[in-house]
């Protein structure tokens, strides 16, 4: 039986802190993260390329589709991250690229001297007119190629490592290893060598959303809201295979005094 230990956000005054990180390699160096990755809200996001037809605005239309309903994101904050690279650049020019046209987010300034980089934006979604979104470029000479990699849109203001969407994700996409250590500092280290690494055996879901993994039949659920009912499930992982989710178990956090 998997044991869960819940901590509300205002009850983290323990002297000893359990720190957890995730990675794709047994030494923790590949894909290291202290935040379990969220699923992508958009599909078809790993890599897309577009070749400009001229300096006027031109668009690769409806290349990304929302994996879910627009009501899931309207009225909420989302974080957009992506990497870009521009090739076949000739001459002196400047312009903008926007891989989430129709969804939101501002264009990224680019030029013949700024051909690659990474972007992070947090925006509030007030309305959406559709569920498919486009790559737009302005100011790029004809023949200039833009490649957008690892585009991710996720709820909240924290950027987590790239993941595909819920309908695309496979067991192989998730972190394979979990690392832990205990000390008296509430901040988690970003040094993989600080952690003891083991292959992950269980994935934990809170209200249907993956929130972490464990090597043991125990898991800490942190930053829960006081006086709130949650549903938790778990499945077992063996390499690239995983079991169905367990039956959902409901629990309610206590009110703070």
């Amino acid at each position: 039986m998997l044991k869960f230990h819940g901590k509300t956000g205002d009850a983290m005054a323990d002297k000893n802190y359990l720190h957890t990180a995730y990675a794709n390699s047994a030494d923790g160096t590949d894909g290291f993260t202290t935040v379990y990755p969220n699923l992508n809200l958009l599909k078809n996001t790993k890599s897309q390329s577009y070749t400009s037809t001229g300096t006027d605005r031109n668009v690769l239309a409806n290349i990304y589709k929302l994996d879910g309903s627009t009501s899931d994101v309207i009225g909420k904050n989302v974080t957009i991250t992506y990497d870009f690279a521009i090739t076949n650049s000739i001459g002196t020019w400047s312009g903008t690229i926007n891989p989430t046209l129709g969804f939101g987010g501002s264009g990224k300034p680019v030029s013949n001297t700024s051909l690659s980089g990474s972007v992070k934006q947090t925006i509030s979604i007030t309305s959406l007119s559709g569920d498919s979104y486009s790559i737009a470029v302005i100011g790029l000479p004809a023949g200039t190629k833009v490649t957008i990699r690892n585009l991710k849109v996720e709820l909240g203001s924290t950027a987590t490592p790239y993941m595909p969407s819920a309908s695309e994700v496979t067991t192989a996409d998730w972190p394979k290893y979990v690392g832990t250590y205990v000390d008296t500092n509430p901040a988690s280290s970003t040094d993989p060598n600080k952690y003891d690494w083991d292959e992950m055996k269980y994935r934990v879901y809170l209200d249907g959303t993956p929130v972490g993994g464990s090597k043991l039949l125990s898991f800490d659920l942190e930053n829960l809201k006081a006086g709130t009912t949650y549903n938790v499930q778990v499945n077992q992982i063996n390499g690239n295979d995983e079991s169905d989710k367990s039956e959902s178990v409901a629990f309610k956090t206590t009110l703070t005094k």
Side-chain angles (χ1 to χ4, degrees), residues 95-142:
T96 60
I97 58 173
N98 183 358
T100 53
L101 180 68
F103 183 85
S106 57
K108 167 65 178 175
V110 294
S111 71
N112 60 291
T113 60
S114 179
L115 298 175
S116 63
S118 299
V119 175
K120 176 184 178 234
Q121 302 175 5
T122 298
I123 62 173
S124 179
I125 304 297
T126 57
S127 65
L128 289 172
S129 59
D131 61 1
S132 295
Y133 314 107
S134 309
I135 299 174
V137 302
I138 302 175
L140 279 65

Side-chain angles (χ1 to χ4, degrees), residues 55 86-94 111-112 115 139-145:
T55 54
I86 298 173
T87 54
N88 299 335
S89 171
I90 299 176
T92 301
W93 57 269
S94 63
S111 71
N112 60 291
L115 298 175
L140 279 65
T144 307
K145 182 179 179 180

Side-chain angles (χ1 to χ4, degrees), residues 21-25 30-38 161-163 169-179 197-203 210 212-214 237 239-240:
Y22 304 96
N24 297 320
S25 61
D30 179 16
F32 174 87
T33 177
T34 59
V35 182
Y36 202 69
N38 295 320
Y162 174 80
M163 288 288 288
V169 70
T170 68
T171 303
D173 295 313
W174 294 102
K176 296 291 188 299
Y177 296 87
V178 55
W197 294 95
D198 286 279
E199 190 172 6
M200 193 181 304
K201 297 298 184 184
Y202 303 93
R203 184 173 299 119
S214 176
I237 305 166
N240 287 331

Side-chain angles (χ1 to χ4, degrees), residues 38-43 45 64-67 73 76-82 99-100 103-105 121 123 125 128 133 150-156 158-166:
N38 295 320
L39 290 171
N40 212 322
L41 296 178
L42 301 185
K43 297 191 288 187
T45 56
Y64 304 116
K65 187 173 179 61
L66 187 67
D67 197 352
V73 295
K76 298 178 182 178
N77 290 334
V78 300
T79 295
I80 302 169
T81 52
Y82 61 90
T100 53
F103 183 85
Q121 302 175 5
I123 62 173
I125 304 297
L128 289 172
Y133 314 107
N150 299 328
L151 172 65
K152 188 174 186 183
V153 178
E154 56 191 308
L155 293 175
T158 300
T160 65
Y162 174 80
M163 288 288 288
S165 69

